[in-house]
Amino acid sequence: MSAKYRVLITDRAWPDCEVEKRELARVDAEVIEAPPGADEAKLVECASGVDAIATCWAQVTQAVIDAAPDCKTIARLGIGLDNIDVAYATSLKIPVTNVPDYCIPEVADHAIGLMLASLRNIAFLNQQIKQGIYDLSAAPVPRRVGSLTLGLFGFGLTGQAVAERARAFGMQVIATNSSGNDYGTGTRMVAFEELLEESDVISIHAPLTDATEYQFDAAAFQKMKSTAIIVNTARGALIDFDALKTAVKNEDISGAALDVFDPEPPDLSDPFFQHDRIITTPHAAFISQESLDELRQQAACQVADVLVGKKPSNVVNPAVYE
C-alpha cells in the first residue's frame, strides 16, 4: 500500500535519509530522493506530484515548485533561504520553513577558530612545518588577541554567540545590523563605515539579500585597516570575490579566512587559494553530529506538521497564513 504523502529531498550533506524517513513515517509520508547533483530539469522531474519539498543547497526555483502543484510546504534544511524562491512560494500560499537555531554554537566556534588560525599564524606555520620549514620568523609577529577589535557584520543569534566567545579572549566587540538593535548584549552598534574603519577582524554573520549581496566590495576593502582580516562563515556572495583577491594582492587587508564561496565549490586552481594569508574550509562551519541530528529532526517535523494541517514552527513567510 502506497504512502498518503510523498516528500522530495533534493539533496543532503549526510550519508542517508533515515532520520527524515523515521520522522515523516509517523504521518504516513514516504521520502523521494533526487539523484546527487540534480540540475533544475532533474529536480522538476523528481518534484512531479510530491506533497512537500525539503532542500539543503539545491535551487528550488519557480519551475521546481510548479512541478508540484499539490506542494503544501517547502523546508530548508538549514538557515539561509537564498536557494528557495520564497516570493513565488508565498504567492502560492505555500509556507516555507527553516531551522534558524540549529548550528549556532558550531558556526560561532568555527568563526573563532578561523580567526585564531589567522591571527596566531597557526595555519601558515603548520603548513611551513609540513614542508620541512621550522622557522618562527617566517610569519609576521602577531598582536595579542585581547588587544584587538572584532567587528560583526550581522548580529543575529550567531553573531551574538561569536561576540560572547570573543569577549572571553578580551577582545573589544562592535557590530552593525539593519536595526541597530544590540538585543540587550551591551555591544556597541555602529554604522557599516565605522565597522570597516575600526575593526582588526571582521566576521560576517548576515543573511544574503539584495541589500547585502557583495556588501564587501572594493570600496569596503579600501576602508579597512591594512592589518585587518575578514572571516566569512555566512554566504559567499556577501563578498565580491574579485575585489577580495585584489585587496589581498595589494595588501589593502592582511588576509581572509573563508568557509563559504561564490560559487560553491570554488575553482581551487585559482592561485588565490595558495596564498599564505588565505585560510579556507569547505562550507564546514555548520557541521557536528549534534547539529545534524537537530537540523534533520526539526526540518522533517515541520514538514510533517504541515502535511497533517498543523502550523509549523519557524515559518519564514507567515503571510501565507493571513
Side-chain angles (χ1 to χ4, degrees), residues 172-317:
Q172 297 294 314
V173 180
I174 58 177
T176 190
N177 60 14
S178 58
S179 69
N181 191 345
D182 75 349
Y183 300 102
T185 64
T187 302
R188 182 162 68 91
M189 305 303 291
V190 300
F192 181 59
E193 301 278 325
E194 194 173 351
L195 188 91
L196 296 173
E197 294 167 358
E198 291 192 22
S199 300
D200 298 294
V201 180
I202 291 178
S203 190
I204 301 177
H205 301 285
L208 177 61
T209 66
D210 289 342
T212 60
E213 186 175 26
Y214 305 135
Q215 180 93 25
F216 289 87
D217 56 12
F221 289 122
Q222 288 168 7
K223 289 182 174 69
M224 289 174 61
K225 296 180 181 180
S226 62
T227 54
I229 65 168
I230 190 163
V231 178
N232 190 7
T233 54
R235 284 291 184 269
L238 293 162
I239 293 178
D240 181 327
F241 189 56
D242 288 335
L244 174 62
K245 290 196 289 185
T246 299
V248 172
K249 179 181 178 181
N250 294 345
E251 299 184 355
D252 294 328
I253 64 171
S254 177
L258 310 172
D259 183 58
V260 288
F261 308 91
D262 178 35
E264 287 189 357
D267 178 8
L268 296 182
S269 67
D270 190 321
F272 174 82
F273 292 102
Q274 303 303 317
H275 195 286
D276 290 342
R277 302 300 300 166
I278 300 302
I279 300 173
T280 53
T281 53
H283 203 145
F286 72 97
I287 199 165
S288 74
Q289 189 59 58
E290 292 81 359
S291 71
L292 288 182
D293 289 346
E294 291 173 3
L295 166 67
R296 298 169 66 186
Q297 190 276 331
Q298 289 183 43
C301 182
Q302 292 187 109
V303 172
D305 283 347
V306 175
L307 292 178
V308 297
K310 296 180 182 178
K311 183 177 179 180
S313 57
N314 303 320
V315 178
V316 302
N317 55 345

Side-chain angles (χ1 to χ4, degrees), residues 10-11 55-61 74-77 79-86 208 235:
T10 64
D11 59 322
T55 182
C56 189
W57 293 311
Q59 295 291 318
V60 180
T61 62
I74 300 169
R76 168 76 165 95
L77 291 155
I79 300 174
L81 298 157
D82 46 289
N83 63 318
I84 300 172
D85 192 335
V86 177
L208 177 61
R235 284 291 184 269

Side-chain angles (χ1 to χ4, degrees), residues 123-171:
F124 172 74
L125 291 173
N126 174 65
Q127 190 61 36
Q128 290 273 292
I129 286 180
K130 289 183 183 299
Q131 296 171 2
I133 303 169
Y134 191 86
D135 181 10
L136 174 63
S137 66
V141 176
R143 299 212 20 224
R144 179 176 292 169
V145 174
S147 72
L148 303 177
T149 296
L150 171 65
L152 298 169
F153 180 71
F155 202 57
L157 295 175
T158 305
Q160 292 168 51
V162 173
E164 181 181 11
R165 286 156 172 75
R167 289 193 182 97
F169 289 96
M171 299 184 80

